[in-house]
């Protein structure tokens, strides 16, 4: 998923997501400026027992991010439907 021209303002230090997964879960790679760009963090989404059974995952960024950048969320895991992403946000 690509989000261009996000303004991170004075800086953010962590990523938080709400997601649900029936069986397998997966990973969310948070990357800056390109789908193969610098890896900011990787969040593990565990199986929650349902597509709409949400859990919150949070991970510190490897380095703080500020100003305007493109953001790419790269989803990895087993084949098929990994998880449903309800929302995400960045925290200071």
């Amino acid at each position: 998923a690509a989000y261009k021209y996000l303004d991170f303002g004075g800086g953010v230090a962590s990523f938080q997501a709400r997601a649900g997964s029936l069986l397998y879960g997966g990973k969310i790679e948070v990357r800056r400026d390109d789908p193969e760009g610098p890896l900011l963090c990787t969040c593990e989404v565990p199986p929650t027992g349902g597509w709409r059974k949400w859990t919150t995952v949070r991970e510190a960024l490897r380095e703080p991010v500020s100003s305007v950048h493109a953001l790419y969320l790269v989803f990895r895991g087993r084949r098929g439907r990994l998880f449903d992403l309800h929302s995400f946000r960045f925290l200071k």
Side-chain angles (χ1 to χ4, degrees):
Y3 302 89
K4 298 211 174 185
Y5 311 113
L6 287 182
D7 188 351
F8 292 95
V12 295
S14 65
F15 173 81
Q16 178 177 297
R18 295 214 13 101
S21 175
L22 180 63
L23 295 174
Y24 304 117
K27 296 179 183 182
I28 304 170
E29 291 181 357
V30 181
R31 295 186 173 268
R32 191 184 72 219
D33 299 325
D34 186 89
E36 303 277 327
L39 180 64
L40 299 176
C41 72
T42 301
C43 274
E44 297 265 349
V45 177
T48 61
W51 297 114
R52 300 286 187 257
K53 221 172 170 184
W54 309 116
T55 189
T56 301
V57 293
R58 182 176 178 175
E59 195 67 40
L61 301 182
R62 292 179 174 189
E63 60 186 53
V65 177
S66 60
S67 71
V68 178
H69 291 278
L71 173 75
Y72 290 85
L73 301 180
V74 179
F75 308 109
R76 302 216 188 263
R78 297 179 136 200
R79 286 186 284 167
R81 188 172 175 185
L82 302 175
F83 51 84
D84 283 353
L85 181 63
H86 179 271
S87 60
F88 70 90
R89 67 183 181 156
F90 287 89
L91 305 164
K92 292 188 177 225

